[in-house]
Amino acid sequence: MAQTEYFDAGHRTCQGCESAMVLRWVAKAAGPNTIVIGATGCMYVANTTYYTTAWALPWIHTQLSGTGSAVVGTAAALKALMEKGKLPSEKINVIGICGDLGCADAGLSEVSNALTHTKYNFLILMYDNESSANTDIQETTMTPFGALTTFSPSGKQIRIMKYRWKKNMAAMMAVGHPEIKYVATAMAADPIDLYNKVRKALEIGGPTFIHTLDPCPKGWGYDPKYSHEIGKLAVETGLWPLFEIENGKFRLTGTSARIASGEIKRKPVKEYISRQTRFKHLTDEDIEYIQRKVDEMWEKWLIPGLLPLTKELPYPETAKT
Ligand SMILES: Cc1ncc(C[n+]2csc(CCOP(=O)(O)OP(=O)(O)O)c2C)c(N)n1
Ligand code: SF4
């Protein structure tokens, strides 16, 4: 594994920021022949303050929803310049990095469009701190059920403002783009798994997509020293299944694979939820609801984390007649 850091000291993310750790591992896995494209968000603002940057790689800033077009444009330009002999022919990684708002909400159409451009090679990495963190922890479609944000406070009349379930982004990208060769979920608390997935995504060719879950001490409300522990709990409780889909083949990885094989048991979701102040207003009943949803995903879904069709596929009554 490379010893050199390509995302180094000098950034201004909060102490314990797991998104920053994700970038560190992504940069390490990608190496020096890489162009990084980043959408506005914490990972732009904190990493490229005027005249300073933590990146030891060429870096492009794109507007909030522009990741998809910027990666396709960059990959296409590199390909054309190499074909015309204006650049030496070599492998240059193109990585687009966007937050959950910039990728799953504002930038979704561009990311989806980019993932259909099969003749260009690039990776889109969505770092998911489950909020629009840079603009002071606002709700996004990736904010989990019940979480407090500045847009979803808890009040006397309404306890839970974010009552909708988190969008299943990696699944959407995998199922919705049939030609994509690599889709994975990951987290910084399992860096080797993340490193290997980034390497695979960059080697396999064509557009690829990785979704990381990134604990954010500021938005989630815990002491920064627990970031890795909180990330691991998300996987151990089954809330965040780690998987990869390589050339259409699904495989759970790490702790999630051990849960699926029965080697280890899922921990109760309460162990994850009770550690974060964003869930402090939830009652036991609310937590039981979350537990039921997670149990359903593991026990009834065709593929945990991916295919929400239930195993007992209902046979339409009309088909019998
Ligand atoms: C079109 C547009 N709308 C709003 C903003 C303001 N804005 C800047 S960063 C940001 C939040 C981005 O959230 P996310 O993509 O989840 O990344 P994070 O801040 O969590 O790292 C917003 C709303 C903007 N820059 N451009
Ligand atoms: S607010 Fe959260 S995502 Fe943003 S820099 Fe701080 S810890 Fe990282």
Side-chain angles (χ1 to χ4, degrees):
M1 183 179 299
Q3 295 298 307
T4 319
E5 302 291 350
Y6 298 100
F7 176 79
D8 211 339
H11 58 80
R12 288 161 191 192
T13 63
C14 309
Q15 198 181 22
C17 174
E18 287 289 88
S19 300
M21 288 304 288
V22 164
L23 299 196
R24 183 181 172 200
W25 283 97
V26 168
K28 214 182 228 310
N33 260 18
T34 301
I35 297 173
V36 178
I37 293 152
T40 292
C42 275
M43 289 307 106
Y44 166 67
V45 174
N47 292 323
T48 56
T49 313
Y50 192 52
Y51 274 149
T52 67
T53 182
W55 289 107
L57 296 171
W59 206 86
I60 303 171
H61 170 219
T62 180
Q63 58 96 343
L64 186 59
S65 57
T67 310
S69 349
V71 286
V72 172
T74 307
L78 288 173
K79 193 168 187 281
L81 289 170
M82 285 179 200
E83 278 169 7
K84 288 179 181 170
K86 294 190 174 176
L87 271 184
S89 198
E90 60 179 329
K91 183 168 167 19
I92 299 179
N93 303 312
V94 176
I95 306 180
I97 292 175
C98 39
D100 43 307
L101 183 79
C103 191
D105 295 348
L108 181 62
S109 63
E110 288 193 26
V111 166
S112 171
N113 184 294
L115 295 180
T116 67
H117 282 267
T118 46
K119 66 177 174 175
Y120 303 128
N121 302 328
F122 55 84
L123 161 66
I124 294 182
L125 181 123
M126 169 167 139
Y127 69 93
D128 179 9
N129 48 40
E130 302 192 318
S131 67
S132 162
N134 182 57
T135 32
D136 207 17
I137 320 298
Q138 298 157 344
E139 182 189 321
T140 74
T141 53
M142 306 308 286
T143 302
F145 170 89
L148 296 178
T149 66
T150 48
F151 282 4
S152 55
S154 180
K156 284 201 179 101
Q157 303 269 332
I158 301 176
R159 190 177 67 258
I160 295 176
M161 283 282 271
K162 178 67 206 272
Y163 55 87
R164 298 177 302 276
W165 203 250
K166 183 181 165 104
K167 193 156 81 179
N168 199 345
M169 185 66 178
M172 267 170 70
M173 297 300 104
V175 179
H177 305 91
E179 289 182 286
I180 193 168
K181 290 185 189 156
Y182 194 79
V183 173
T185 58
M187 60 165 182
D190 192 344
I192 305 300
D193 184 72
L194 170 62
Y195 183 96
N196 288 337
K197 285 171 174 170
V198 173
R199 290 239 39 88
K200 273 193 193 175
L202 293 173
E203 289 305 323
I204 206 163
T208 54
F209 184 80
I210 296 181
H211 178 180
T212 59
L213 181 72
D214 307 351
C216 159
K218 180 180 160 193
W220 297 16
Y222 62 83
D223 189 303
K225 70 181 176 195
Y226 295 124
S227 286
H228 269 24
E229 213 172 307
I230 301 284
K232 281 186 181 157
L233 275 171
V235 177
E236 288 163 354
T237 54
L239 265 158
W240 181 244
L242 293 173
F243 62 79
E244 64 183 2
I245 305 163
E246 194 178 346
N247 284 316
K249 284 214 170 68
F250 175 91
R251 192 172 78 87
L252 285 165
T253 64
T255 302
S256 303
R258 292 169 65 209
I259 290 173
S261 70
E263 193 188 321
I264 52 172
K265 271 198 152 148
R266 270 185 290 128
K267 290 183 176 170
V269 294
K270 196 170 187 171
E271 289 191 29
Y272 173 77
I273 284 166
S274 62
R275 300 280 299 272
Q276 305 167 50
T277 59
R278 64 177 173 156
F279 296 121
K280 66 178 190 292
H281 56 298
L282 297 189
T283 61
D284 282 346
E285 221 178 20
D286 301 331
I287 298 173
E288 273 165 32
Y289 168 73
I290 298 171
Q291 185 66 64
R292 275 204 308 280
K293 294 280 277 183
V294 174
D295 290 348
E296 189 181 296
M297 176 169 82
W298 281 88
E299 289 155 20
K300 293 203 172 152
W301 282 23
L302 276 178
I303 303 178
L306 190 75
L307 261 190
L309 297 172
T310 53
K311 282 177 186 160
E312 309 86 357
L313 290 175
Y315 190 71
E317 282 301 309
T318 47
K320 290 182 192 160
T321 54

